[in-house]
């Protein structure tokens, strides 16, 4: 099941929620040149996932869901333009668990 | 002369020219020269003698024009005010600067932007403070966040620096609107943390950053009202406008009571 919130896609597979870039967000920020993940593993709604510098803006990417980060797409640190990719296997950001499913269900359909 | 010696000669000649031009200049021209040199100055330490003379000069120069305090203004709505003029004349707790993501102030000599005049009239200490904040942060300043420094020689006690969204040919998007609102929220939050009683916002993102004036003002007013409603903050908020167009927009927005 796939939803969207805070300019990100959220795909649910069992208990794991994968956040990835939407085309609208990609258009808004331009080519990404620098990515730095936040070290903290526990996310609040609106909490920072990472900071990025792109051709059109410098942005702190905020999470639409509270949860625990279980995996980060570390390859975007070395290759930031992966976040500009159209493929979700490239442009995913983090995987979360401990997400309140009812909050997820209330998000907009993707 | 080798290449390096040629450069030394050329630089010395050009510097000499500047010094000569300065000695011939009027006071106004000297102010422009001084401002331009401060604008391009790297954030490196400065001598206490320089600071002493600079502070004396700026303090006198900043008070050549009458300053404006909250008591001089009439509220347009409860806690909300509009004032047209140069934001560096405001003797209030905090003024909000529309910064860029380097957060070091405008580096174009004598550029007519708010970031430039705020840094010029505050003094070189402002860039040094911003530089330290940025060194600690270790990366550029994201849009929609806020940082606070002292105001130094400004009549305002503090400067809150925020980076608004930049609007390109694709126009305003939901994200850009959200980021603009976030500039106001983050600045207000910081102002309350520092217990500022009054804050003056410039029209963030509307100048060089191309945000349409009407929409920007709607977001500004809406966000400030929502913040005050939500937090019950007692902060007094001045919408500082420079252009007539913005004055009319804010007057009409605040004429509507909700």
């Amino acid at each position: 099941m796939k939803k969207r919130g805070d300019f990100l896609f959220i795909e649910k597979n069992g208990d794991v929620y994968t956040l990835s870039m939407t085309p609208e967000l990609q258009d808004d920020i331009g080519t990404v040149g620098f990515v730095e993940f936040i070290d903290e593993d526990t996310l609040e709604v609106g909490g920072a996932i990472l900071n990025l510098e792109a051709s059109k803006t410098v942005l702190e990417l905020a999470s639409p869901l509270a949860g625990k980060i279980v995996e980060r797409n570390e390859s975007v640190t070395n290759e930031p333009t992966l976040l500009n990719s159209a493929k979700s296997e490239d442009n995913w950001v983090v995987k979360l668990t401990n997400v309140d499913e009812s909050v997820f269900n209330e998000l907009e359909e993707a | 002369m080798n290449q390096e010696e040629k450069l030394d000669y050329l630089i010395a000649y050009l510097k000499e020219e500047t010094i000569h031009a300065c000695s011939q200049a009027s006071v106004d021209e000297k102010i422009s020269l001084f401002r331009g040199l401060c604008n391009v100055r790297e954030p490196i330490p400065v001598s206490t003698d320089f600071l002493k003379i600079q502070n004396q000069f700026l303090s006198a120069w900043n008070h050549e024009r009458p300053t404006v305090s909250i008591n001089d203004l009439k509220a347009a709505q409860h806690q909300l005010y509009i004032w047209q003029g140069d934001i560096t004349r405001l003797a209030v707790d905090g003024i909000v600067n529309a910064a860029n993501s380097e957060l070091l102030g405008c580096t174009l000599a004598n550029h007519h932007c708010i970031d430039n005049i705020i840094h010029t009239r505050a003094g070189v200490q402002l860039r040094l403070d911003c530089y330290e904040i940025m060194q600690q942060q270790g990366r550029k300043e994201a849009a929609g966040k806020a940082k606070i420094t002292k105001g130094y020689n400004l009549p305002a006690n503090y400067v809150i620096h925020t980076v608004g969204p930049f609007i390109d040919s694709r126009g305003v998007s939901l994200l850009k609107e959200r980021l603009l609102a976030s500039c106001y929220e983050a600045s207000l939050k910081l102002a309350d943390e520092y217990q500022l009683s009054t804050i003056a916002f410039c029209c963030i993102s509307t100048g060089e950053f191309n945000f349409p004036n009407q929409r920007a003002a709607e977001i500004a007013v809406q966000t400030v009202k929502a913040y005050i409603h939500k937090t019950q903050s007692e902060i007094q908020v001045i919408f500082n406008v420079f252009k007539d167009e913005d004055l009319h927009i804010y007057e009409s927005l605040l004429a509507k009571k909700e």
Side-chain angles (χ1 to χ4, degrees):
Chain A
M1 199 166 32
K2 198 170 168 187
K3 300 271 198 173
R4 59 186 302 152
D6 277 356
F7 314 99
L8 293 169
F9 286 132
I10 306 107
E11 194 159 7
K12 181 180 183 317
N13 284 301
D15 290 340
V16 180
Y17 298 74
T18 305
L19 275 53
S20 62
M21 304 289 282
T22 58
E24 294 76 18
L25 180 58
Q26 290 174 328
D27 281 352
D28 262 334
I29 64 177
T31 308
V32 184
F34 171 83
V35 178
E36 188 180 55
F37 280 97
I38 302 286
D39 292 332
E40 182 61 47
D41 286 335
T42 310
L43 272 178
E44 297 299 318
V45 175
I49 302 169
L50 57 79
N51 280 282
L52 63 82
E53 292 174 19
S55 58
K56 293 181 191 168
T57 191
V58 180
L59 186 74
E60 181 187 272
L61 199 63
S63 178
L65 291 170
K68 183 178 186 299
I69 298 178
V70 286
E71 198 181 340
R72 295 175 171 84
N73 185 1
E74 301 284 357
S75 48
V76 303
T77 311
N78 292 325
E79 207 182 327
T81 51
L82 284 174
L83 291 181
N84 295 109
S85 165
K87 300 181 203 151
S88 60
E89 60 262 39
D90 291 334
N91 73 31
W92 69 277
V93 182
V94 286
K95 296 186 184 204
L96 303 180
T97 56
N98 297 3
V99 172
D100 185 340
E101 195 176 350
S102 62
V103 178
F104 171 77
N105 288 336
E106 278 168 25
L107 293 174
E108 189 188 336
E109 296 290 333
Chain B
M1 279 195 268
N2 64 27
Q3 281 295 80
E4 198 181 334
E5 286 163 349
K6 282 175 191 157
L7 280 171
D8 287 341
Y9 168 82
L10 295 170
I11 290 165
Y13 183 95
L14 292 168
K15 273 189 171 166
E16 190 56 41
E17 258 184 3
T18 314
I19 292 164
H20 181 73
C22 185
S23 68
Q24 307 286 311
S26 68
V27 172
D28 281 351
E29 287 166 340
K30 284 182 187 183
I31 287 175
S32 290
L33 280 164
F34 164 69
R35 176 175 176 173
L37 287 167
C38 290
N39 296 154
V40 302
R41 186 177 183 277
E42 296 293 323
I44 49 174
V46 69
S47 77
T48 45
D49 281 351
F50 177 92
L51 283 183
K52 194 176 138 199
I53 308 268
Q54 179 215 246
N55 294 349
Q56 286 169 357
F57 167 76
L58 288 178
S59 164
W61 185 44
N62 288 340
H63 286 89
E64 275 173 19
R65 315 156 307 162
T67 59
V68 175
S69 80
I70 193 82
N71 300 326
D72 300 320
L73 306 179
K74 193 173 156 284
Q77 284 188 24
H78 186 57
Q79 289 177 259
L80 305 180
Y81 302 76
I82 304 169
W83 182 70
Q84 185 179 28
D86 179 348
I87 199 165
T88 63
R89 281 179 55 201
L90 286 173
V92 294
D93 257 353
I95 60 171
V96 179
N97 179 24
N100 61 47
S101 53
E102 303 290 338
L103 215 81
L104 295 177
C106 174
T107 53
L108 296 173
N110 298 293
H111 187 236
H112 283 282
C113 69
I114 197 159
D115 195 15
N116 189 297
I117 194 65
I118 286 175
H119 273 264
T120 300
R121 287 190 177 269
V124 297
Q125 299 99 309
L126 196 61
R127 177 167 291 166
L128 296 177
D129 273 12
C130 288
Y131 180 71
E132 204 175 307
I133 289 170
M134 293 310 278
Q135 287 296 104
Q136 276 176 18
Q137 176 159 281
R139 54 182 156 71
K140 289 185 188 175
E141 178 72 353
K145 302 276 157 187
K147 296 282 189 291
I148 191 165
T149 62
K150 286 191 266 183
Y152 292 99
N153 293 289
L154 292 169
N157 297 326
Y158 290 94
V159 180
I160 291 175
H161 307 260
T162 188
V163 182
F166 179 82
I167 306 300
D168 60 20
S169 56
R170 293 175 57 258
V172 175
S173 64
L174 200 57
L175 174 69
K176 304 280 169 88
E177 293 195 336
R178 184 83 72 81
L179 288 172
L180 183 61
S182 177
C183 287
Y184 285 89
E185 270 166 16
S187 299
L188 287 163
K189 199 162 165 262
L190 200 51
D192 272 338
E193 271 169 37
Y194 277 73
Q195 300 180 317
L196 308 192
S197 60
T198 311
I199 186 174
F201 282 102
C202 63
C203 302
I204 301 166
S205 278
T206 57
E208 304 279 313
F209 281 21
N210 300 324
F211 209 106
N213 300 60
Q214 175 74 35
R215 187 69 194 118
E218 286 165 9
I219 291 168
V221 171
Q222 198 180 5
T223 308
V224 168
K225 281 186 174 180
Y227 175 86
I228 290 174
H229 182 73
K230 192 175 83 184
T231 63
Q232 296 295 303
S233 169
E234 286 173 9
I235 195 163
Q236 307 286 313
V237 179
I238 301 170
F239 294 104
N240 165 238
V241 297
F242 197 71
K243 292 190 274 183
D244 289 343
E245 182 192 358
D246 287 316
L247 176 66
H248 298 143
I249 291 171
Y250 276 92
E251 278 178 344
S252 118
L253 284 174
L254 291 180
K256 296 176 206 150
K257 299 248 173 174
E258 282 158 38

